Structure formats: structure tokens, C-alpha cells
């Protein structure tokens, strides 16, 4: 459940516990890798180069604007892979999953948390895609999602979010 309704109080975004976060990221990893397998032949080189250049520009900046742009590019790249998979059911499943991930992302962003090395991981993924290295791209994507999960869970532990 993404939203909790409390009578005479209001509507609140539900917190996710450690187990739910682990599940979400594991499902995300499997579904996004499946989407990448389907999408691989349909990704356009020019677009991949352009996205990589934009991630490279973000890497050189340390401003809040750069972080926001990187988050936007991250969403665009992952959504592009889902759309290019050509599998509407898979795309819908990923959209549902991303709504849950967005809860995590927004909560962490409010605390000033910025994932480190995410831009570099995306650049490595894009390089593998540009070079036509499907297995390497799948490995990098799985590692990127696993790193994201580990980083989020560690940050939550450091902030005492787990009881």
C-alpha cells in the first residue's frame, strides 16, 4: 500500500520496511534486466550517446541542479529501456514498481541523500549498450540496481529507520 488513510487525520505516504525495500529492488532487478534483454536490439545509438553525454555533464557538476538533472536522466533511461522492450505488461509492472521506488527516493532526497557513483554506473551501462555488449550491459544494470538497494538500506540503517 502506497498510501495510508487515517480517519480524521489525513492521507500519508506509507513507509516501507527493510524487507519490502529488499523485495522491491530484487523484483526491479529481474524485471529491468528482462526489459533490457527485450529492448537491446531496439535502442538507438544516437539517443544512447546523447544520454551518456548528459550524464557526463552531470558528473562534473556538484550543484543541486545537477543532482536533480541526474535523477531525471535516471528515470528517463530506465523508462526508455522499459518502453523499448516492446512488452506492455512488463512496462506496466515496472511503472507500478517505480511508484514504490519513488517513495524511497523522495524520502531519501528530503534528507539530503544523494546516491554516489550512480552517474558513473549509468555511463558504464550506456557504454556497454553503445558497444553492443548485451551481457556486459545486463551485468552492469543488475549491479547498479543492487548497489542502489545496498546504499539505500545502509543509509536507512545509519538514520535509525529500522527498529
Amino acid at each position: 500500500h502506497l498510501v495510508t488513510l487515517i480517519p480524521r487525520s489525513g492521507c500519508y505516504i506509507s513507509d516501507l520496511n527493510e524487507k519490502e525495500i529488499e523485495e522491491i529492488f530484487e523484483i526491479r532487478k529481474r524485471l529491468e534486466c528482462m526489459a533490457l534483454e527485450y529492448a537491446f536490439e531496439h535502442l538507438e545509438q544516437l539517443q544512447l550517446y546523447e544520454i551518456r553525454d548528459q550524464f557526463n555533464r552531470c558528473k562534473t557538476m556538484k550543484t543541486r541542479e545537477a543532482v536533480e538533472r541526474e535523477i531525471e536522466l535516471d528515470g528517463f533511461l530506465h523508462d526508455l529501456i522499459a518502453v523499448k522492450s516492446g512488452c506492455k505488461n512488463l512496462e506496466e509492472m515496472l511503472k507500478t514498481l517505480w511508484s514504490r521506488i519513488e517513495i524511497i527516493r523522495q524520502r531519501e532526497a528530503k534528507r539530503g541523500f544523494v546516491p554516489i557513483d550512480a552517474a558513473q554506473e549509468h555511463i558504464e551501462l550506456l557504454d556497454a549498450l553503445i558497444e553492443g555488449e548485451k551481457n556486459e550491459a545486463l551485468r552492469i544494470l543488475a549491479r547498479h540496481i543492487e548497489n542502489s538497494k545496498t546504499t539505500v538500506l545502509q543509509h536507512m540503517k545509519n538514520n535509525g529507520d529500522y527498529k
Side-chain angles (χ1 to χ4, degrees), residues 116-134:
I116 56 171
D117 297 329
Q120 184 58 40
E121 289 176 345
H122 287 108
I123 291 166
E124 290 172 16
L125 172 61
L126 288 157
D127 284 342
L129 292 171
I130 288 166
E131 293 167 15
E133 298 290 337
K134 185 177 185 178

Side-chain angles (χ1 to χ4, degrees), residues 14-145:
S14 301
D15 280 333
L16 298 169
N17 64 38
E18 182 177 9
K19 183 178 185 296
E20 289 170 317
I21 290 170
E22 287 179 4
E23 288 173 357
I24 287 168
F25 276 94
E26 184 61 30
I27 294 166
R28 175 188 171 197
K29 181 171 60 176
R30 291 173 188 244
L31 291 180
E32 283 199 41
C33 284
M34 182 186 297
L36 181 56
E37 286 187 48
Y38 290 147
F40 188 78
E41 299 297 324
H42 307 288
L43 295 167
E44 298 167 19
Q45 291 286 312
L46 186 60
Q47 189 173 32
L48 296 173
Y49 276 109
E50 184 179 312
I51 298 167
R52 185 183 65 184
D53 288 346
Q54 290 182 43
F55 270 114
N56 271 319
R57 280 194 291 266
C58 289
K59 240 176 62 170
T60 62
M61 299 181 286
K62 298 297 178 196
T63 64
R64 180 73 185 153
E65 183 180 320
V67 170
E68 289 171 4
R69 180 67 180 136
E70 186 178 328
I71 290 169
E72 185 180 296
L73 285 168
D74 170 77
F76 180 80
L77 177 58
H78 290 279
D79 188 52
L80 177 67
I81 291 168
V83 169
K84 291 289 186 173
S85 75
C87 183
K88 290 292 181 194
N89 287 313
L90 182 55
E91 187 180 343
E92 287 300 317
M93 287 181 218
L94 283 167
K95 283 182 182 182
T96 300
L97 199 59
W98 267 98
S99 65
R100 293 181 180 275
I101 291 168
E102 192 60 27
I103 292 171
I104 299 165
R105 181 180 272 176
Q106 292 300 322
R107 185 189 60 223
E108 297 301 300
K110 284 180 184 175
R111 295 178 176 163
F113 172 70
V114 177
I116 56 171
D117 297 329
Q120 184 58 40
E121 289 176 345
H122 287 108
I123 291 166
E124 290 172 16
L125 172 61
L126 288 157
D127 284 342
L129 292 171
I130 288 166
E131 293 167 15
E133 298 290 337
K134 185 177 185 178
N135 289 336
E136 180 68 2
L138 288 166
R139 187 189 67 74
I140 292 167
L141 178 59
R143 184 190 72 207
H144 165 64
I145 294 169

